[in-house]
């Protein structure tokens, strides 16, 4: 099967079990406590809580999920292993007060072993066993245990070997700190070369790439309240999530679940192939599948292979996020997308020698592999490419200088004697790079919050990017110190805004008609005919106001659009777009 056939086979299986097949929801979550849509169940929360009645009893779909920032955050692992992603597809099936544990687990087993032919000996199931001493909620999931015991016995396997207990950390699933939740039962796939069952069992939940959780069956029974209590829900529901890229990668690596000699990798799945091919064309470098065993002292080829995985993953994530209207920006989810984008640009330039514009050219292969499943990628293509290209241009111009400064600083720090802290001259001031200290008998080098802040403020390096660079050289970063500098800057900004912005815009005059925003409806030229309705002059600037505009105005951390207007044949550059209280776009 190709990846597309695996996805379709999942959906067809649940269609045959009377499930309605529904589209993925947007990555922009509807739940207020989420940064991004992080699970297939997010769009169904009102049905679980009983706030709305579901139009169907059973549904299945493939859902775009981002797990970067927030409760579920895999960003730091992406690229360094072969099975974490920032964005992934979650195949899922749901019951809204209809079937429960028996059907869910039995159908799960049927699809995996009968339809897909996964050897039963290689599958292990976990069930919820609360650690009462730690205050875990609810009781041992005897019902799930008994269902699994029968399934394994019927397959001629020993339940005592194939069922593994897990406490709240592994077997009680929560979408966020609040919301619908419940005990869960995960299916793990032993990918060791031998199918020895004792070795397979020992590998469950060991973070080994040779034993991977592929499918989580959650039994939604509670709502987690903000005060930490769990309220039982009126009805019981099923919420399952299968890692599509994991299954597709294992299928590709094992010749259809038959040959377990090779190291498994999600990136062996054909969904990543068009992007890998494009990266080879752009960089002249070859992906060799190497996976580092540590984060520092990486070989040149390990650095290339990490970058291939990072870029292939991040290109999908930012393309899908931007297509769903989450543009790179300075706050909240928009800043997470900016961080991911900058992480990709940094790896592309540093490890693969890519140039400005190369990352935007990965949108085409992403659309080639995902455009038929998530059609918004095709309709929003121009906007996605434009937003990525703009970020490459602005960050690309400072990245090289920032990297030079980082390397100079790190080199001085590596040469520093114990209990000394070198400084570096930046303009007319000196910035403390960090210090070398002895900790538990070991020499430790730490980059100061001030230096990390300089890299962030002047060169646009998100903290986690500085951390990635530092770890490669075995150096730590004072993240708390960095936060202190950030907070000071925020305070300065707040104080300054009180005087500045009110002068520079027409804030407060909530009387004029709001500008009609047509940025999502226009053609590929991104141009529209508009009527100039006002010119707002401030001490420093002049702002043009039109009746309608395709220019996105700075808002919620997203940057305002730039471009130009042709007014009676004269070209006027638009350097920024902001919005006033009346909702007028000021160009
Ligand atoms: N909602 C099930 C999961 O994300 O694992």
């Amino acid at each position: 099967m190709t990846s597309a056939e695996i996805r379709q086979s999942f959906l067809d299986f649940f269609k045959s079990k009377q499930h309605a097949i529904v589209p993925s929801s947007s990555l922009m979550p509807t739940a207020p406590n989420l940064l991004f849509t992080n699970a297939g169940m997010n769009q169904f929360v009102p049905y679980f809580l009983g706030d709305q009645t579901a139009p169907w009893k059973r549904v299945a779909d493939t859902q775009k999920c981002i797990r970067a920032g927030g409760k579920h955050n895999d960003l730091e692992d992406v690229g360094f292993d072969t099975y974490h992603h920032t964005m992934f597809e979650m195949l899922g099936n749901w019951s809204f007060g209809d079937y429960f544990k028996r059907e869910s687990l039995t159908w799960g087993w049927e699809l995996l072993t009968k339809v897909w032919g996964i050897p039963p000996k290689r599958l292990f199931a976990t069930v919820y066993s609360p650690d009462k001493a730690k205050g875990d909620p609810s009781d041992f999931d005897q019902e799930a245990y008994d269902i699994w015991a029968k399934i394994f016995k019927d397959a001629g396997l020993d339940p005592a070997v194939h069922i593994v207990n897990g406490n709240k950390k592994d077997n009680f699933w929560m979408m966020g700190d609040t919301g619908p939740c419940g005990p869960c039962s995960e299916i793990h796939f032993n990918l060791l070369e031998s199918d020895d069952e004792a070795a397979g069992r020992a590998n469950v939940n060991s973070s080994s790439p040779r034993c991977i959780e592929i499918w989580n069956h959650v039994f939604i029974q509670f709502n987690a309240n903000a005060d930490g209590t769990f309220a039982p829900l009126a009805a019981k529901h099923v919420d399952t999530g299968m890692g599509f890229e994991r299954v597709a990668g294992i299928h590709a690596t094992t010749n259809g679940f038959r040959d377990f000699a090779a190291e498994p990798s999600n990136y062996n799945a054909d969904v990543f192939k068009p992007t890998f091919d494009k990266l080879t064309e752009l960089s002249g470098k070859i992906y060799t599948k190497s996976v580092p065993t540590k984060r520092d002292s990486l070989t040149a080829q390990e650095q290339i292979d990490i970058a291939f995985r990072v870029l292939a993953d991040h290109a999908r994530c930012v393309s899908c996020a931007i297509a769903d209207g989450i543009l790179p920006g300075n706050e909240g989810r928009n800043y997470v997308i900016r961080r991911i984008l900058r992480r990709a640009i940094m790896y592309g330039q540093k490890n693969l020698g890519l140039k400005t514009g190369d990352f935007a050219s990965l949108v085409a292969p992403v659309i080639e592999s995902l455009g038929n499943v998530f059609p918004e990628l095709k309709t929003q293509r121009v906007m996605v490419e434009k937003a990525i290209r703009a970020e490459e241009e602005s960050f690309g111009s400072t990245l090289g200088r920032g990297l030079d400064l980082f390397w100079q600083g790190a080199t001085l720090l590596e040469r520093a004697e114990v209990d000394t802290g070198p400084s570096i001259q930046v303009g007319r001031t000196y910035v403390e790079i960090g210090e070398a200290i002895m900790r538990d008998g070991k020499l430790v080098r730490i980059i100061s919050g001030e230096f990390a802040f300089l890299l962030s403020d002047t060169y646009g390096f998100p903290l986690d990017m500085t951390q990635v660079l530092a770890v490669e050289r075995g150096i730590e970063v004072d993240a708390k110190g960095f936060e202190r500098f950030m907070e000071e800057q925020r305070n300065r900004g707040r104080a300054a805004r009180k005087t500045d912005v009110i002068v520079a815009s027409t804030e407060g005059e909530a009387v004029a008609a709001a500008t009609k925003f047509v940025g999502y409806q226009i053609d590929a030229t991104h141009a529209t005919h508009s009527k100039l309705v006002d010119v707002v002059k401030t001490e420093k600037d002049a702002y043009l106001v039109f009746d309608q505009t395709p220019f996105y105005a700075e808002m919620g951390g997203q940057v305002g659009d730039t471009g130009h207007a042709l007014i009676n044949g004269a070209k006027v550059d638009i350097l920024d777009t902001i919005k006033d209280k009346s909702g007028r776009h000021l160009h």
Side-chain angles (χ1 to χ4, degrees), residues 97 132 204 260 419:
K132 288 291 179 192
V204 171
F260 293 83
D419 289 333

Side-chain angles (χ1 to χ4, degrees), residues 306-437:
I306 289 167
F308 264 75
R309 289 188 289 266
V310 166
L311 270 80
D313 172 276
H314 291 10
R316 284 163 29 114
C317 179
V318 297
S319 299
C320 289
I322 296 170
D324 279 347
I326 310 173
L327 281 98
N330 286 335
E331 278 168 45
R333 61 176 67 92
N334 308 89
Y335 187 58
V336 177
I337 295 303
R338 170 162 284 166
R339 271 165 49 201
I340 294 172
L341 201 38
R342 291 188 174 184
R343 191 172 187 260
I345 296 167
M346 185 275 282
Y347 273 110
Q349 183 172 320
K350 182 172 85 63
N351 296 20
L352 300 179
L354 298 189
K355 306 272 177 304
T356 297
D358 285 348
F359 191 60
S361 70
L362 299 183
V363 175
V366 167
I367 293 176
E368 186 185 331
S369 58
L370 293 183
N372 288 341
V373 193
F374 307 117
E376 57 282 1
L377 278 170
K378 288 186 186 166
T379 53
Q380 301 299 336
R381 176 178 180 155
V382 174
M383 202 247 302
V384 172
E385 287 174 336
K386 189 177 155 212
I388 294 179
R389 174 87 199 197
E391 191 73 14
E392 280 189 273
E393 280 166 5
S394 62
F395 182 55
S397 64
T398 56
L399 173 63
R401 282 179 287 136
L403 282 174
D404 283 345
L405 182 70
F406 174 84
W407 283 323
Q408 269 181 49
T411 305
L412 287 172
L413 193 55
E414 278 166 354
R415 292 187 192 141
E417 309 263 319
V418 179
D419 289 333
T420 64
S423 295
I424 196 162
Q425 190 175 0
V426 181
R428 270 179 284 169
T429 54
Y430 281 87
V431 172
E432 193 192 306
I433 298 165
E435 55 179 356
I437 56 165

Side-chain angles (χ1 to χ4, degrees), residues 39 41 67 90 173 216 218 239-241:
M41 54 80 80
R67 291 192 174 176
M90 185 182 281
W173 197 83
N216 190 11
V218 185
D239 155 35
T240 87

Side-chain angles (χ1 to χ4, degrees), residues 255-266:
N255 187 20
F257 309 126
R258 283 192 288 263
D259 175 356
F260 293 83
E263 188 75 16
S265 167
N266 293 9

Side-chain angles (χ1 to χ4, degrees), residues 50-70:
D51 292 343
Q52 287 174 29
T53 308
W56 334 263
K57 288 268 178 226
R58 306 171 176 188
V59 298
D61 70 14
T62 184
Q63 171 67 52
K64 295 171 283 188
C65 299
I66 293 185
R67 291 192 174 176

